[in-house]
Amino acid sequence: PVIPVENLVGQQSEMVVQSLLKKHSKHLTDDQLRLLLKKKDHTSALYLWSTLEELRLGGDFGLDGQLINQMIAGFPEELETLFVQVLDRIEREVEHFCGEHSYNGKVSTSEHPAEKISGQSVVQHALSLLACSRNGLYEHDLLQMVCPPGWPHGNTLPTIIWSRIYHAVEMYLRTRSKQDHGIISISQRGFARAVRQRYMDRKDNENVRRSMYKQLADFMLDFSGAKAYQHWCPVFKDFDAQFRRHAVTAFVDIPWYQIKALDIIGMRDNTLGNLAYVEMCARLSSTEQDGNLLANLIHDYRVALNVIKTARYADLASPLKAAGTTRREVLWWLRGMLDFITQQQHNLLRAPLLTLQLALQQLDPTAPHMWAKEVILSEQLDSLNENQEERRKRFLNCRWVNKPGLKL
């Protein structure tokens, strides 16, 4: 839920400043307080909170207070500009820290140069992924995605570097409850907007946001097991409850990230156009703990239809060319799959293992029928070395369909 906070009035701004500083046993002089309350956005609680956090982290509450005066005078008048200054500070601190340390945490010297990591790029990458995430990211997943390519000391970002970033932006983040232990998300919309504007909305970074969504989609696709799933195979076998919840969360978010990235190849081959993904979704929906995931999938189809239909051709040209298709063809199979799942939702929930059979029984010129037939013929070619009895059992659920002319 989103709780709007109205502008402060009267003495509320002064009371907020005193209350926040009191938690850390700090206080401002009367001159410093007046200087802060002269700012244009001083009626915003978030502005005051952010400025006081900057003072707490970087100020020197000594006897003369000159540094505090300089910092307050240097604060921008508006909140959005303040967030830009905060991001500048974080980048400088992490860059300086990474410049003094190697990947393995040892201090580098001229005789033994250490392998360096760009603190600025890590901050940009981590905050961009959090700003693009649908409902937050597990910390371990985030560290894996932010890890620089070719890093020789493992596949995750060192925790010593991540801790510097996390504590620098902790006030703008939210960590979920025990049930969703480890999920981190940006709690302040203004800060998320500042991250997007700084790193992803500039003219020279037009494709950065899509690349972030694409990385999130590919990671979730591999982690959830959806990419490797085959019809009638076990789902999340031998997974404990926590890891299963983690995998299901990743599984559900894949189409959303692909739509945001305009990843037509991914949607067609791995999720919205893949009957194995529909079958896996139906099987997970049949368990009470996961809920009706097919309802979420139907919503994803509708969103995808709207996005593909209304997107500018300049934005779709490259994805369509890479997929070797057209806008009309994409809309055709999206509508066909949406109609199939909407009409057969009850049957898919009752008998998810009959997904291929139900798709095969659709009208011949529809995408579900054509793709189901393609899957079965491909499976038959792959199973030529099996004996006839094993092959008969393998396709038993797809033999008895109401299509006399179809030979399987």
Side-chain angles (χ1 to χ4, degrees):
V2 178
I3 303 176
V5 179
E6 302 295 336
N7 287 339
L8 304 174
V9 295
Q11 300 295 320
Q12 290 180 344
S13 297
E14 183 176 347
M15 295 171 61
V16 166
V17 172
Q18 294 174 350
S19 175
L20 291 174
L21 288 177
K22 188 177 180 180
K23 293 181 179 179
H24 305 285
S25 301
K26 307 290 185 182
H27 73 278
L28 296 177
T29 64
D30 293 341
D31 292 339
Q32 292 169 345
L33 182 59
R34 282 193 295 269
L35 184 61
L36 179 60
L37 297 183
K38 285 181 180 179
K39 301 294 182 180
K40 181 179 177 180
D41 280 356
H42 75 278
T43 57
S44 167
L46 181 57
Y47 179 86
L48 295 177
W49 188 21
S50 301
T51 54
L52 295 177
E53 189 69 11
E54 290 298 293
L55 292 175
R56 186 181 70 85
L57 293 175
D60 183 6
F61 288 79
L63 296 177
D64 56 359
Q66 289 302 314
L67 180 58
I68 297 296
N69 295 337
Q70 294 173 7
M71 290 185 65
I72 296 176
F75 286 146
E77 295 287 334
E78 298 179 350
L79 179 61
E80 292 188 3
T81 315
L82 176 64
F83 283 144
V84 174
Q85 183 173 311
V86 171
L87 292 173
D88 280 334
R89 175 186 61 81
I90 296 171
E91 289 180 2
R92 288 195 306 269
E93 289 181 355
V94 178
E95 185 70 34
H96 177 72
F97 178 80
C98 293
E100 295 181 344
H101 293 74
S102 65
Y103 285 138
N104 55 14
K106 296 180 180 179
V107 178
S108 60
T109 63
S110 57
E111 294 83 5
H112 302 283
E115 296 162 320
K116 296 294 192 304
I117 184 172
S118 173
Q120 182 177 0
S121 64
V122 169
V123 171
Q124 175 180 344
H125 199 177
L127 295 183
S128 297
L129 288 173
L130 286 174
C132 290
S133 66
R134 189 177 190 179
N135 296 305
L137 298 171
Y138 281 84
E139 181 177 310
H140 184 263
D141 295 349
L142 177 62
L143 296 186
Q144 283 189 330
M145 285 186 279
V146 176
C147 181
W151 184 43
H153 301 288
N155 61 349
T156 62
L157 186 73
T159 54
I160 190 172
I161 296 178
W162 166 243
S163 63
R164 302 283 296 194
I165 302 174
Y166 177 81
H167 290 299
V169 296
E170 185 177 5
M171 63 172 293
Y172 306 110
L173 303 180
R174 176 183 60 180
T175 303
R176 299 292 181 85
S177 61
K178 293 182 179 179
Q179 189 177 15
D180 294 319
H181 176 69
I183 292 185
I184 301 173
S185 60
I186 297 179
S187 60
Q188 302 294 340
R189 288 185 173 183
F191 186 74
R193 184 166 55 250
V195 170
R196 288 192 291 267
Q197 290 176 351
R198 181 177 178 83
Y199 299 131
M200 293 177 283
D201 290 346
R202 295 183 300 182
K203 292 183 179 179
D204 56 340
N205 285 339
E206 293 181 357
N207 296 322
V208 173
R209 180 182 293 194
R210 289 184 191 172
S211 67
M212 293 294 107
Y213 285 122
K214 180 69 165 60
Q215 183 183 8
L216 287 163
D218 292 343
F219 181 87
M220 301 303 173
L221 190 66
D222 290 332
F223 180 82
S224 65
K227 190 173 185 178
Y229 175 78
Q230 297 181 350
H231 291 282
W232 310 313
C233 292
V235 180
F236 301 150
K237 186 178 180 181
D238 300 327
F239 282 19
D240 58 33
Q242 183 176 354
F243 192 82
R244 176 189 173 91
R245 183 177 181 83
H246 187 174
V248 171
T249 301
F251 175 83
V252 173
D253 289 343
I254 299 170
W256 189 84
Y257 289 128
Q258 290 177 336
I259 294 169
K260 288 288 187 180
L262 290 180
D263 183 11
I264 294 177
I265 295 178
M267 287 188 284
R268 181 191 63 192
D269 297 344
N270 297 317
T271 54
L272 300 183
N274 191 331
L275 289 171
Y277 183 87
V278 176
E279 179 183 301
M280 187 175 179
C281 189
R283 294 179 69 178
L284 292 174
S285 299
S286 62
T287 61
E288 295 182 4
Q289 58 183 346
D290 295 322
N292 187 0
L293 302 186
L294 280 180
N296 296 331
L297 186 60
I298 290 173
H299 175 72
D300 290 333
Y301 277 107
R302 290 170 176 163
V303 173
L305 277 168
N306 183 63
V307 169
I308 299 299
K309 189 184 302 182
T310 59
R312 299 180 306 168
Y313 181 77
D315 296 331
L316 279 178
S318 179
L320 289 174
K321 183 178 180 180
T325 185
T326 62
R327 188 200 299 256
R328 178 178 296 181
E329 184 178 4
V330 174
L331 293 175
W332 166 75
W333 63 257
L334 280 173
R335 291 193 187 100
M337 292 294 291
L338 174 60
D339 292 341
F340 164 62
I341 298 175
T342 303
Q343 296 167 8
Q344 299 292 335
Q345 183 177 3
H346 180 67
N347 292 327
L348 289 171
L349 290 174
R350 290 187 61 189
L353 293 179
L354 298 183
T355 299
L356 271 181
Q357 180 185 11
L358 293 171
L360 200 62
Q361 292 183 151
Q362 301 300 301
L363 297 176
D364 289 357
T366 61
H369 170 81
M370 296 174 64
W371 283 340
K373 185 176 179 181
E374 180 181 342
V375 168
I376 294 172
L377 292 177
S378 176
E379 288 280 350
Q380 287 179 332
L381 290 175
D382 293 340
S383 61
L384 289 178
N385 294 330
E386 299 177 358
N387 60 49
Q388 188 171 357
E389 180 63 21
E390 291 177 346
R391 189 158 53 246
R392 187 189 68 82
K393 291 180 180 179
R394 191 179 182 87
F395 301 103
L396 182 63
N397 291 333
C398 296
R399 290 180 62 84
W400 307 107
V401 296
N402 189 21
K403 288 185 178 292
L406 183 63
K407 302 299 182 182
L408 295 176

